[in-house]
Protein backbone atom coordinates (compact mmCIF):
# COMPACT_ATOMS: atom_id res chain seq x y z
CA UNK A 1 0.00 0.00 0.00
CA UNK A 2 0.95 3.66 -0.15
CA UNK A 3 3.68 5.25 1.96
CA UNK A 4 4.58 8.75 3.15
CA UNK A 5 7.35 10.47 5.11
CA UNK A 6 6.72 11.77 8.69
CA UNK A 7 9.77 13.76 9.75
CA UNK A 8 12.50 11.22 9.04
CA UNK A 9 10.33 8.19 9.65
CA UNK A 10 8.83 6.20 6.80
CA UNK A 11 5.06 5.67 7.17
CA UNK A 12 2.98 3.03 5.41
CA UNK A 13 -0.74 2.56 5.04
CA UNK A 14 -1.45 -1.01 6.13
CA UNK A 15 -4.45 -3.25 6.64
CA UNK A 16 -4.99 -3.86 10.37
CA UNK A 17 -5.76 -7.34 11.69
CA UNK A 18 -6.70 -9.03 14.98
CA UNK A 19 -3.06 -8.79 16.13
CA UNK A 20 -3.38 -4.98 16.08
CA UNK A 21 -6.36 -4.76 18.48
CA UNK A 22 -4.31 -3.70 21.53
CA UNK A 23 -2.52 -0.94 19.59
CA UNK A 24 -5.78 0.25 18.05
CA UNK A 25 -7.51 0.38 21.43
CA UNK A 26 -4.63 2.41 22.87
CA UNK A 27 -4.76 4.82 19.93
CA UNK A 28 -8.55 5.08 20.07
CA UNK A 29 -8.38 6.00 23.77
CA UNK A 30 -6.15 8.94 22.84
CA UNK A 31 -8.56 10.13 20.15
CA UNK A 32 -12.08 9.62 21.55
CA UNK A 33 -13.95 9.84 24.85
CA UNK A 34 -16.34 7.10 23.71
CA UNK A 35 -14.50 3.83 23.06
CA UNK A 36 -15.12 0.66 21.17
CA UNK A 37 -14.73 -2.46 23.29
CA UNK A 38 -12.31 -5.24 22.49
CA UNK A 39 -15.34 -7.29 21.44
CA UNK A 40 -16.40 -4.61 18.94
CA UNK A 41 -12.90 -4.56 17.44
CA UNK A 42 -12.96 -8.36 17.24
CA UNK A 43 -16.29 -8.25 15.43
CA UNK A 44 -14.62 -6.21 12.74
CA UNK A 45 -11.13 -7.57 12.55
CA UNK A 46 -11.86 -11.26 13.11
CA UNK A 47 -15.34 -11.60 11.67
CA UNK A 48 -15.16 -9.01 8.88
CA UNK A 49 -18.03 -6.72 9.97
CA UNK A 50 -15.77 -3.79 9.15
CA UNK A 51 -12.20 -3.10 8.07
CA UNK A 52 -9.42 -0.93 9.46
CA UNK A 53 -6.59 0.82 7.64
CA UNK A 54 -3.71 2.03 9.78
CA UNK A 55 -0.67 4.20 9.19
CA UNK A 56 2.44 2.66 10.67
CA UNK A 57 5.34 5.07 11.18
CA UNK A 58 8.27 2.88 12.14
CA UNK A 59 6.68 0.26 14.39
CA UNK A 60 3.98 2.51 15.80
CA UNK A 61 0.45 3.06 14.54
CA UNK A 62 -0.01 6.82 14.13
CA UNK A 63 -3.56 6.82 12.77
CA UNK A 64 -6.39 4.55 11.77
CA UNK A 65 -9.56 4.59 9.71
CA UNK A 66 -12.40 2.10 10.24
CA UNK A 67 -14.94 1.58 7.49
CA UNK A 68 -17.57 -0.87 6.31
CA UNK A 69 -18.64 -1.90 2.84
CA UNK A 70 -22.07 -3.14 1.87
CA UNK A 71 -22.66 -3.90 -1.80
CA UNK A 72 -21.55 -0.72 -3.61
CA UNK A 73 -21.63 1.56 -0.56
CA UNK A 74 -18.93 2.45 1.94
CA UNK A 75 -19.37 4.02 5.39
CA UNK A 76 -16.61 5.66 7.41
CA UNK A 77 -17.02 4.51 11.02
CA UNK A 78 -14.03 6.05 12.81
CA UNK A 79 -10.91 8.00 12.01
CA UNK A 80 -8.26 9.06 14.49
CA UNK A 81 -4.68 10.31 14.54
CA UNK A 82 -2.31 10.47 17.53
CA UNK A 83 -2.64 13.96 19.05
CA UNK A 84 1.07 14.73 18.72
CA UNK A 85 1.08 13.69 15.06
CA UNK A 86 -1.85 15.72 13.82
CA UNK A 87 -1.66 18.28 11.01
CA UNK A 88 0.99 16.31 9.18
CA UNK A 89 -1.26 14.83 6.51
CA UNK A 90 -1.83 11.43 8.14
CA UNK A 91 -5.66 11.53 8.00
CA UNK A 92 -5.48 12.85 4.44
CA UNK A 93 -3.26 9.92 3.44
CA UNK A 94 -5.67 7.41 5.04
CA UNK A 95 -8.64 9.01 3.26
CA UNK A 96 -6.83 9.00 -0.10
CA UNK A 97 -5.96 5.37 0.34
CA UNK A 98 -9.52 4.38 1.28
CA UNK A 99 -11.16 6.33 -1.54
CA UNK A 100 -8.77 4.88 -4.11
CA UNK A 101 -9.52 1.40 -2.82
CA UNK A 102 -13.27 2.13 -3.12
CA UNK A 103 -12.92 3.35 -6.70
CA UNK A 104 -10.91 0.24 -7.59
CA UNK A 105 -13.73 -1.89 -6.12
CA UNK A 106 -16.44 0.00 -8.03
CA UNK A 107 -18.00 1.47 -4.87
CA UNK A 108 -20.49 4.19 -5.87
CA UNK A 109 -21.28 6.04 -2.63
CA UNK A 110 -19.54 6.99 0.62
CA UNK A 111 -21.34 7.91 3.86
CA UNK A 112 -20.33 9.24 7.25
CA UNK A 113 -21.61 11.15 10.24
CA UNK A 114 -19.68 13.69 12.26
CA UNK A 115 -20.29 15.81 15.35
CA UNK A 116 -21.41 19.31 14.49
CA UNK A 117 -18.55 20.81 16.54
CA UNK A 118 -15.80 18.72 14.93
CA UNK A 119 -14.37 21.41 12.66
CA UNK A 120 -11.10 19.55 11.82
CA UNK A 121 -12.94 16.42 10.64
CA UNK A 122 -15.62 18.39 8.75
CA UNK A 123 -12.94 20.37 6.96
CA UNK A 124 -11.11 17.16 6.06
CA UNK A 125 -14.22 15.40 4.72
CA UNK A 126 -15.41 18.42 2.75
CA UNK A 127 -11.96 18.70 1.16
CA UNK A 128 -12.58 15.23 -0.31
CA UNK A 129 -15.93 16.31 -1.76
CA UNK A 130 -18.29 14.97 0.92
CA UNK A 131 -21.53 17.00 0.94
CA UNK A 132 -23.83 17.47 3.91
CA UNK A 133 -27.20 15.81 3.35
CA UNK A 134 -28.92 16.04 6.73
CA UNK A 135 -28.77 16.33 10.50
CA UNK A 136 -29.64 13.78 13.21
CA UNK A 137 -30.55 15.67 16.35
CA UNK A 138 -28.78 14.69 19.60
CA UNK A 139 -27.46 11.56 17.92
CA UNK A 140 -24.31 10.82 19.94
CA UNK A 141 -24.83 9.00 23.25
CA UNK A 142 -21.78 10.57 24.95
CA UNK A 143 -22.47 14.27 24.38
CA UNK A 144 -26.01 14.30 22.88
CA UNK A 145 -24.57 16.42 20.13
CA UNK A 146 -26.17 16.60 16.67
CA UNK A 147 -24.73 14.43 13.90
CA UNK A 148 -24.16 15.99 10.51
CA UNK A 149 -24.74 13.40 7.78
CA UNK A 150 -22.50 13.48 4.73
CA UNK A 151 -22.25 11.57 1.52
CA UNK A 152 -19.89 11.37 -1.44
CA UNK A 153 -20.73 10.30 -4.97
CA UNK A 154 -17.65 8.27 -5.83
CA UNK A 155 -18.68 7.85 -9.45
CA UNK A 156 -18.24 11.62 -9.89
CA UNK A 157 -14.79 12.02 -8.29
C1 LIG B 1 -9.77 14.87 12.43
C2 LIG B 1 -8.37 14.24 12.48
C3 LIG B 1 -8.50 12.75 12.15
C4 LIG B 1 -7.48 14.93 11.42
O1 LIG B 1 -6.23 14.23 11.37
P1 LIG B 1 -4.88 14.93 10.86
O2 LIG B 1 -3.90 13.86 10.54
O3 LIG B 1 -4.45 15.97 11.82
O4 LIG B 1 -5.37 15.65 9.52
P2 LIG B 1 -4.43 16.08 8.30
O5 LIG B 1 -3.14 16.62 8.79
O6 LIG B 1 -4.36 14.96 7.31
O7 LIG B 1 -5.27 17.29 7.70
C5 LIG B 1 -6.09 17.11 6.56
C6 LIG B 1 -7.13 18.22 6.52
O8 LIG B 1 -8.01 18.11 7.64
C7 LIG B 1 -8.43 19.41 8.05
N1 LIG B 1 -7.94 19.66 9.40
C8 LIG B 1 -7.17 18.83 10.15
N2 LIG B 1 -6.97 19.38 11.37
C9 LIG B 1 -7.62 20.57 11.39
C10 LIG B 1 -7.80 21.57 12.37
N3 LIG B 1 -7.25 21.47 13.59
N4 LIG B 1 -8.55 22.64 12.05
C11 LIG B 1 -9.13 22.77 10.82
N5 LIG B 1 -8.98 21.83 9.84
C12 LIG B 1 -8.24 20.75 10.13
C13 LIG B 1 -7.82 20.38 7.05
O9 LIG B 1 -8.72 20.47 5.96
C14 LIG B 1 -6.58 19.62 6.64
O10 LIG B 1 -6.09 20.03 5.39
P3 LIG B 1 -4.93 21.16 5.34
O11 LIG B 1 -3.83 20.65 6.23
O12 LIG B 1 -4.59 21.20 3.90
O13 LIG B 1 -5.54 22.41 5.90
C15 LIG B 1 -7.69 14.43 13.87
O14 LIG B 1 -7.81 15.78 14.24
C16 LIG B 1 -8.26 13.56 14.98
O15 LIG B 1 -7.82 12.42 15.19
N6 LIG B 1 -9.24 14.08 15.75
C17 LIG B 1 -9.83 13.35 16.89
C18 LIG B 1 -10.70 12.20 16.42
C19 LIG B 1 -11.81 12.68 15.50
O16 LIG B 1 -12.49 13.66 15.76
N7 LIG B 1 -12.02 11.93 14.39
C20 LIG B 1 -13.07 12.19 13.42
C21 LIG B 1 -14.29 11.45 13.80
S1 LIG B 1 -15.59 11.74 12.64
Amino acid sequence: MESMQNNDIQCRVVKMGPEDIDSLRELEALCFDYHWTEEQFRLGLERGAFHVLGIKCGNRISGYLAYSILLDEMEILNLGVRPEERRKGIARKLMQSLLQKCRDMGIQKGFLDVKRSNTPAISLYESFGFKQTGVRKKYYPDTKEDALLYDLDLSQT
Side-chain angles (χ1 to χ4, degrees), residues 30-32 62 64 76-83 85-94 112-115 118-125 127-128 140:
L30 296 171
C31 296
F32 297 100
S62 295
Y64 76 104
I76 292 178
L77 305 174
N78 246 348
L79 167 64
V81 172
R82 261 177 211 284
E85 296 189 35
R86 290 181 188 163
R87 300 297 331 232
K88 293 180 179 173
I90 287 177
R92 186 172 294 288
K93 177 56 70 182
L94 283 166
L112 61 85
D113 59 77
V114 58
K115 286 179 176 162
N118 196 343
T119 314
I122 290 170
S123 165
L124 171 73
Y125 297 138
S127 77
F128 279 94
Y140 297 101

Side-chain angles (χ1 to χ4, degrees), residues 49-63:
F50 59 85
H51 314 276
V52 182
L53 292 178
I55 283 207
K56 270 194 177 159
C57 300
N59 286 329
R60 195 165 86 141
I61 301 173
S62 295

Side-chain angles (χ1 to χ4, degrees), residues 11-13 21 23-24 41 45 47 49 53 56 58 63 70 84 87 106 108 114 128-129 134:
C11 303
R12 289 172 303 130
V13 178
I21 287 177
S23 313
L24 284 169
F41 270 113
L45 296 170
R47 289 192 256 154
L53 292 178
K56 270 194 177 159
L70 186 61
E84 70 275 19
R87 300 297 331 232
Q108 299 287 313
V114 58
F128 279 94

Side-chain angles (χ1 to χ4, degrees), residues 14 19 31 103 124:
V14 289
E19 67 283 2
C31 296
R103 287 189 195 97
L124 171 73

